[in-house]
Amino acid sequence: MNQKKDKNINVFEYRPVRPFLQIPEKVLMYILQLTPSSFAKVYLYLYNISYGMGHDYTITHTSVREIASNLNISIGRTQNAITYFKKIGAIEKIESRAVIGTKFRVNVPEYSSNSGNWFFTTPDKVRYLMMKEKLLTSEKIVTSKIKRYKSVKKSLDQQLFDEFKE
């Protein structure tokens, strides 16, 4: 931990450690006003398993029972939250399987100062979320752009993407 001394006062600097999820202020402001508070827990859970993994949809199938169990809230309250978020457009069902559960597209809140209300939109229409650019190669390998190297060829010369060999 970094420690700075200033006039005999210890000042600490804190940095997050993995895993760490950043929640935009607009998302936080929206969920803090939700009643009942269990609705906020459900939205944050869905936000975590989507945007926390870098996607605008839940990366795994999930069910009402699973969400309720993980959040320690009742199944009925969880079902009410899911129904509410579907109704206002916060989540959309994109795939459903009988045994494993449902995948949801998770939209993000935006405040309209004209109407004084919150509405939900896709992440590409808001300024407070940044999209990380990724490249999908022909071998179906996802590699992030590395800005400190002038080209992907140079980074390959550095052997950053070599497979582990025993």
Side-chain angles (χ1 to χ4, degrees):
M1 181 171 3
N2 292 340
Q3 183 177 0
K4 290 183 177 179
K5 291 190 177 186
D6 185 26
K7 298 180 185 176
N8 298 327
I9 299 174
N10 290 335
V11 179
F12 294 95
E13 291 180 357
Y14 295 96
R15 292 183 303 138
V17 294
R18 293 182 200 179
F20 178 75
L21 173 68
Q22 289 183 330
I23 301 173
E25 185 180 5
K26 285 199 179 185
V27 173
L28 191 62
M29 294 310 297
Y30 173 75
I31 62 168
L32 286 176
Q33 70 175 358
L34 282 176
T35 51
S37 60
S38 58
F39 282 27
K41 289 172 75 173
V42 171
Y43 184 79
L44 277 180
Y45 179 81
L46 295 173
Y47 184 90
N48 183 38
I49 62 174
S50 58
Y51 293 98
M53 305 296 175
H55 298 282
D56 64 344
Y57 59 89
T58 56
I59 61 160
T60 60
H61 288 83
T62 188
S63 66
V64 172
R65 288 183 188 275
E66 180 184 353
I67 295 170
S69 173
N70 289 340
L71 298 178
N72 197 23
I73 55 179
S74 73
I75 294 171
R77 183 63 57 99
T78 306
Q79 182 62 51
N80 289 344
I82 296 287
T83 304
Y84 172 74
F85 290 130
K86 282 181 185 176
K87 181 179 174 184
I88 63 172
I91 59 173
E92 302 167 15
K93 181 169 57 170
I94 56 174
E95 183 183 356
S96 187
R97 294 195 181 168
V99 178
I100 7 179
T102 306
K103 278 190 176 184
F104 295 103
R105 180 166 319 284
V106 181
N107 293 322
V108 289
E110 185 67 271
Y111 186 76
S112 170
S113 55
N114 293 340
S115 64
N117 292 326
W118 290 93
F119 65 95
F120 285 85
T121 187
T122 57
D124 58 340
K125 294 181 181 173
V126 296
R127 290 183 291 165
Y128 62 84
L129 280 180
M130 294 182 294
M131 293 178 9
K132 184 177 181 182
E133 188 174 349
K134 291 188 177 182
L135 211 36
L136 186 60
T137 64
S138 60
E139 293 87 21
K140 307 276 185 200
I141 299 171
V142 178
T143 58
S144 294
K145 277 192 172 181
I146 300 175
K147 291 184 180 179
R148 63 183 159 200
Y149 297 108
K150 293 184 180 178
S151 68
V152 174
K153 185 175 184 271
K154 274 192 175 179
S155 64
L156 290 174
D157 291 342
Q158 297 286 331
Q159 299 177 349
L160 295 175
F161 300 105
D162 284 357
E163 292 181 10
F164 178 72
K165 296 177 184 175
E166 292 185 39

